[in-house]
Amino acid sequence: MENFTPWSALAGGILIGLAAAIYVIVLGRVTGISGILGGILQPSRTEVGVQIAFVAGLIAGPFAVALISGPVALPKVTGSYPVLIAAGLLVGIGARLGGGCTSGHGICGNARLSPRSILATVLFMGAGIAMVFVTRRLLGM
Amino acid sequence: MRVFVALVTGLLFGMGLTVSRMVDPAKVLSFLDFGSIPTGTWDPSLAFVMGGALAVTAPAYYFDRLQGKPLIGHILIIPTRDDIDWRLASGSVIFGAGWGLAGICPGPAITALSFGMHEFYVFAAAMLMGMALYQYILMPLTGGAPRGAQGTV
């Protein structure tokens, strides 16, 4: 449990929730990141400006945190390039096919108790847990 | 004005992903590693991310339902479907498998581009290719109706 960080996780979660809340109240849209990225890939004239601005903000996030609270620890990526490519393709296809990801279903959909989002969350959490079990515990990756 | 609000909320979202460490694949994978529960080394931190987010977002959606329209902009576009179909189920399983393989989901994939690490460039490129592959080839092939810009949650 030495890596247990409930307070920073909660603080980060509240920031994410605040962003999703402002976005839906002011702009009337769902902050589903895969949906927003999918929108940019197939742009509609009225939405694409907003979507690109949101993505620009997402990218600037770590810089803003560094400005406020000092250097941000670099993440640790364990997967090799072939694994990352396979995982990226699965995440991209799966999130669009399933109509959402951890943000659209996991936060926005669950926040309004959508049955589709609750099922999606159970399924992607389950699949993620199963995948880690197979790769770490059975294959020793 | 809409663009400015989107920029600020994107920034808040990206800060949240950074502060909570959702951007760290090693942390995500150790959260998903339920096999570590018996040894007492499981890291449940990321459950607090969803908890914190839902605590703020749920009242906002409730407010929205009462109000019926956004403060600026045109119309409220919140998905209203409640049918379960094969796309939702199989897509979520495929997405979860990819998430468990690398420990990266779409939001962190974009925010982590700022760390300047090649691994994130490779992942994001593959993810965007996967999305384009679905939208331009797989969806038309399987007879899917074109979705709105936000997708159907």
Side-chain angles (χ1 to χ4, degrees):
Chain A
M1 295 284 276
E2 71 273 15
N3 296 317
F4 186 46
T5 53
W7 296 112
S8 56
L10 192 65
I14 289 171
L15 281 172
I16 294 168
L18 207 57
I22 297 172
Y23 200 86
V24 78
I25 286 179
V26 179
L27 299 177
R29 301 289 187 277
V30 170
T31 41
I33 312 292
S34 51
I36 289 172
L37 293 173
I40 294 173
L41 290 173
Q42 232 165 349
S44 96
R45 210 164 47 81
T46 54
E47 299 295 325
V48 73
V50 165
Q51 290 166 334
I52 289 176
F54 185 84
V55 167
L58 269 186
I59 295 175
F63 295 110
V65 172
L67 271 178
I68 294 166
S69 61
V72 175
L74 281 185
K76 191 161 169 284
V77 184
T78 48
S80 62
Y81 284 167
V83 167
L84 291 171
I85 291 170
L89 287 170
L90 290 172
V91 165
I93 294 170
R96 294 307 288 146
L97 177 62
C101 58
T102 15
S103 49
H105 282 309
I107 295 170
C108 302
N110 288 335
R112 57 186 184 86
L113 299 176
S114 153
R116 283 171 58 83
S117 293
I118 293 169
L119 177 72
T121 306
V122 169
L123 290 175
F124 69 64
M125 289 287 305
I129 290 163
M131 181 57 86
V132 172
F133 187 80
V134 169
T135 53
R136 280 206 178 171
R137 303 285 150 180
L138 301 183
L139 302 176
M141 279 166 72
Chain B
M1 187 61 189
R2 292 175 74 219
V3 168
F4 176 73
V5 173
L7 185 68
V8 171
T9 48
L11 187 66
L12 281 176
F13 206 111
M15 291 172 73
L17 291 173
T18 308
V19 169
S20 64
R21 300 305 287 166
M22 280 294 292
V23 287
D24 190 346
K27 183 139 184 116
V28 172
L29 292 178
S30 59
F31 170 67
L32 292 174
D33 186 11
F34 279 29
S36 68
I37 293 175
T39 62
T41 54
W42 184 48
D43 177 5
S45 310
L46 297 186
F48 289 77
V49 182
M50 192 180 270
L54 284 177
V56 181
T57 311
Y61 275 87
Y62 184 70
F63 173 82
D64 241 28
R65 197 173 303 172
L66 291 181
Q67 193 185 225
K69 62 180 180 57
L71 295 184
I72 53 174
H74 317 279
I75 37 167
L76 190 62
I77 302 186
I78 290 180
T80 49
R81 285 179 63 181
D82 57 4
D83 58 309
I84 307 294
D85 64 342
W86 69 270
R87 282 177 208 275
L88 176 84
S90 58
S92 299
V93 169
I94 293 170
F95 162 59
W99 189 37
L101 197 54
I104 308 170
C105 55
I110 299 302
T111 295
L113 291 174
S114 289
F115 293 110
M117 296 163 64
H118 292 154
E119 290 91 339
F120 287 117
Y121 301 148
V122 170
F123 181 89
M127 180 181 79
L128 293 172
M129 274 179 54
M131 290 178 167
L133 183 71
Y134 176 73
Q135 292 177 209
Y136 284 101
I137 298 173
L138 298 181
M139 189 176 70
L141 276 181
T142 54
R147 287 173 170 150
Q150 290 277 6
T152 311
V153 174

